[in-house]
Amino acid sequence: MTNQPYALAIHGGAGTILKSTMTPEREAAYKAGLHAALKAGEDVLRAGGSAVDAVTASVCALEDEPLFNAGRGAVFTTAGRQEMDASIMDGRDRSTGAVAGVFGPKNPVLLARLVMETTPHVCMIGDHVLELGRKAGLEFPEADYFFTQARWDALQDTLAMQAKGEDDDDPARRHGTVGAVACDRQGNVAAATSTGGWTGKMPGRVGDTPMPGAGNFAENATCAVSGTGHGEVFIRYTAGAEIAARMRHRGESVIDAARHVVMQDLGQNDGSGGVIAVDAKGVLTLPFNSEGMYRGWVQEGTAPEVAIYDE
Ligand code: ASP
């Protein structure tokens, strides 16, 4: 049995507040949220836990933090509702579970994990999967738990722009997603991702997050990837699977493969955003082509680090 140093990376979305409008107080709050999520995942790995459990713990912490667009604090559709997507993938055997367009569970990633572990399916929508979550004892808070005034105000701004025929190009208002990738001491990798999607998305729109190989992917032979950004482009360029394919077929490192996909495939095709990725040796990379990406990382024996901009 291998016993190598663990590694963990997280993101809180590439749709960051523009540096010019960020205040020191907000920056500190985002960084505290990232540190808390890193700690949740690292505690699992330090105790000898699996990569799957670590990414679950980190993503739950990010879903619970209303600053990030997932779980509590998810953005609103044009119809004023919150529709959440989430997924998880285990690099040991490529088992994966996902949910799309759900509203109800406090932690959509736990519902995705339930799909992975208790059903023969990969992706589920609708009432039945919610019922599955209730029966399994997942927490379903009151609906107003998920509401945040800031996201509601952002929707009103976006709707006003849409009415005038203008594009809403403020990434902080539009975007966000949370995710984690980990490599545990056994050299197993996993990825989990969760999102409210886009402010002002059409009801029923599904993004890249619950699509394995687009916004989330894990395979021990190559890497684990969690993406954030313009989901439609991540889907069309199968971002996560493409990073793995470059490693598998071209022999590229996780660093080179992720960089190529983020900067070329996505970056040159209107696909703003970034990814976090880790290979089975624990090599981490966190490239993005946007102004910033809320992110954090830790490797066994080093101090956890968080960052927002290109610093
Ligand atoms: N990728 C997410 C989506 O398109 C949004 C984001 O990461 O900003 O649903």
Side-chain angles (χ1 to χ4, degrees):
M1 199 193 256
T2 49
N3 193 359
Q4 62 182 53
Y6 60 71
L8 170 72
I10 61 167
H11 70 77
T16 51
I17 295 175
L18 297 176
K19 201 168 188 174
S20 51
T21 58
M22 178 66 100
T23 63
E25 294 74 28
R26 293 185 85 170
E27 186 162 341
Y30 278 105
K31 288 187 167 173
L34 291 168
H35 271 298
L38 264 184
K39 182 178 177 330
E42 191 183 7
D43 284 349
V44 172
L45 294 168
R46 193 186 297 113
S50 69
V52 174
D53 285 342
V55 295
T56 303
S58 284
V59 168
C60 282
L62 291 161
E63 287 176 335
D64 293 347
E65 169 54 69
L67 285 173
F68 301 112
N69 171 18
R72 183 178 208 180
V75 299
F76 292 91
T77 67
T78 51
R81 299 176 67 97
Q82 290 159 299
E83 297 180 1
M84 303 175 204
D85 300 337
S87 68
I88 186 161
M89 190 157 179
D90 185 340
R92 285 175 290 200
D93 58 0
R94 287 196 186 209
S95 56
T96 181
V99 288
V102 297
F103 179 81
K106 177 167 177 267
N107 295 110
V109 71
L110 295 181
L111 195 57
R113 188 160 172 176
L114 208 62
V115 172
M116 174 170 84
E117 291 176 342
T118 69
T119 80
H121 307 306
V122 162
C123 186
M124 294 182 73
I125 64 166
D127 292 343
H128 187 79
V129 74
L130 295 177
E131 201 42 43
L132 211 69
R134 281 198 190 87
K135 282 202 182 115
L138 295 192
E139 216 175 318
F140 279 66
E142 294 295 319
D144 63 1
Y145 164 84
F146 297 98
F147 180 91
T148 53
Q149 194 61 45
R151 299 296 189 196
W152 184 255
D153 294 345
L155 174 66
Q156 306 318 311
D157 291 347
T158 301
L159 290 177
M161 280 184 230
Q162 285 177 357
K164 283 191 266 175
E166 290 168 12
D167 262 354
D168 180 359
D169 58 1
D170 179 347
R173 187 164 42 227
R174 293 220 67 169
H175 281 292
T177 284
V178 308
V181 295
C183 178
D184 60 30
R185 287 193 183 129
Q186 278 67 52
N188 296 315
V189 300
T193 309
S194 179
T195 191
W198 284 45
T199 299
K201 67 182 179 182
M202 291 169 74
R205 176 265 189 187
V206 175
D208 58 314
T209 298
M211 298 190 188
N216 198 71
F217 184 76
E219 173 197 43
N220 277 0
T222 53
C223 61
V225 182
S226 170
T228 171
H230 191 161
E232 281 71 7
V233 184
F234 278 65
I235 295 167
R236 289 195 278 116
Y237 284 81
T238 56
E242 187 65 19
I243 293 168
R246 294 186 73 90
M247 294 174 70
R248 191 181 311 117
H249 300 303
R250 294 176 60 96
E252 287 184 1
S253 68
V254 67
I255 295 170
D256 289 346
R259 186 170 177 79
H260 181 94
V261 169
V262 169
M263 299 303 171
Q264 310 287 316
D265 298 355
L266 301 175
Q268 294 185 3
N269 292 290
D270 197 27
S272 75
V275 304
I276 52 173
V278 66
D279 71 11
K281 297 250 178 319
V283 176
L284 292 168
T285 186
L286 301 88
F288 54 95
N289 62 35
S290 43
E291 178 168 324
M293 180 167 83
Y294 300 111
R295 61 199 187 280
W297 63 97
V298 65
Q299 273 158 325
E300 187 160 8
T302 68
E305 296 204 49
V306 302
I308 300 177
Y309 302 102
D310 205 355
E311 50 220 323

